[in-house]
Amino acid sequence: MSEQVLVDFRETDFDGLCQVSGRVAVLIAADDRPGAIVRRLDRKMRGAISRALANGAWAKLKVAEALDLKFPAGVPAEAVQLVKLPRKSTGIEARKAGSAIGRELGEAGVAVLAANHPRAADVAFGLTLGSYAFSQYHTDDKTKKGNATFHVDKPDAVRAAAAPMQAVAQGVCFTRDLVNEPANVLTTVGFSDRLAAMRDLGLEIEILDEEQLEKLGMRALLGVGQGSESPSQVVVMQWHGGAKGQAPFALVGKGVVFDTGGISIKPALGMEEMTMDMGGAGVVSGVMRALALRKARANVVGVVGLVENMPDGRAQRPGDVVRSMKGDTIEVINTDAEGRLVLADVLWYAQERFKPAGMINLATLTGAIIIGLGHENAGAFSNDDTLCKAFLKAAAAEGEGAWRMPLGPAYDELLKSRIADMKNSCGRPAGSITAAQFLKRFVKDETPWIHLDIAGVTLPPKATALAPKGATGWGVMALDRLIRDTMES
Ligand code: BES
Ligand code: MN
Ligand code: ZN
């Protein structure tokens, strides 16, 4: 797993800053005259800061962007990084600023001069996310990163504000690790081992094996995994932080640890990206970790279906008919439309067992959602306007793109099968919607529900504001906020 950068907070200490041999980052509130400590540092650096701030290059920078003064005179620091961040910035801007600091972080660490900036905790949050690196398989590991020390005027207050945010950041990084991990390491069992280790955080974790899944009747899920050497598993994670007896909120994740397509095998080009097909399960796991770390006052259950979709002599065939736990039969037209088969059983199980107050599932479900929304927004499909609005609001507040897509009976018609209750694939038109419509058949009318198709946002082709190229952990922040805003206040 990736190594985490340690972030701590201390009282602003000018002499300490002047001895830092690593990097120094200075938050410059562009709407204000630099504070007293910055002016003192500037004098020590023989006016280098004021010259930089008077330069056109600084004026051109956007909020949250930064400028590096390398090996400056007067101080031993490797570099002094000037970070543009007005005092009245948003949390999202402050996180981006922190990410800009985190990206540049080197072995010698960084001291961040935040003084009395009101967004210091958000900057720290962004720094943790921006310094993330998945580098354990680089034998000659050049990306080892030192720690971050924030110099602030009220360290206790900032530390208290930062603690729950750091918990969420740890959740995001846990998700990124799971998604970045190759499929020979993160097998179904490798995945559930990491979830079992979260018992130490106070989560109740159960791992259901194939025998138990068979007894429950989860033939739709089991059919997907039957060509793999890795056993299929369902992992249930419970966080009991709310009132006793209060119905939990349910999070459900698609955890296909590798998706070859099965007998309907995928083309070779780009198939290696299908290590991310457990991204939905990864987000659910990251949220559960964040909730436990910040001791959320809510009851939440996470249920993930872990399977591997492989071609094999025992693999499921196109044309096979399977019976789901709900009892409905499914004709498997295309073994590559496997995510909906996994989710059908896990969604049903979550409702039967927990009678949740609401349910959100996440899945890298369709390539079609990338055609529709690209890598900027996840697709949101819902049977409940109130829940959907609350989610979209939380996602917007966290800077995680999500866009609502339609459902409707006309799309449902397309799922009709000649020989079974439904088929799992019905061609290219509205591919993401028909997949959502399939899932809806396994959602009870009384359960407020959202399906998030995260195929485009889980592993985008380039770095984002808060993540290096690779897994983003999209959704952990939005779901954590949704739980905080709707269940804990
Ligand atoms: N895991 C894929 C969807 C996917 C594609 C995720 C690209 C991330 C990036 C899913 O299991 C799949 O193969 N879907 C098919 C469905 C089709 C066979 C109906 C697809 O999108 O082509
Ligand atoms: Mn597939
Ligand atoms: Zn898949």
Side-chain angles (χ1 to χ4, degrees), residues 254 256 259-261 266 274 277 309 334-339 365:
K254 168 181 174 182
V256 176
D259 181 13
T260 63
K266 288 179 181 295
M274 285 302 127
D277 211 21
N309 189 19
N334 188 324
T335 64
D336 197 12
E338 84 296 341
L365 202 63

Side-chain angles (χ1 to χ4, degrees), residues 461-473:
K462 55 183 197 311
T464 64
L466 298 182
K469 182 168 158 53
T472 57

Side-chain angles (χ1 to χ4, degrees), residues 23 140 163 173 185 220 259 289 306 338 340 369 419 468:
R23 296 174 61 84
D140 181 11
C173 292
V185 175
D259 181 13
R289 188 177 190 88
L306 307 180
E338 84 296 341
R340 63 198 76 180
I369 202 72
I419 61 165

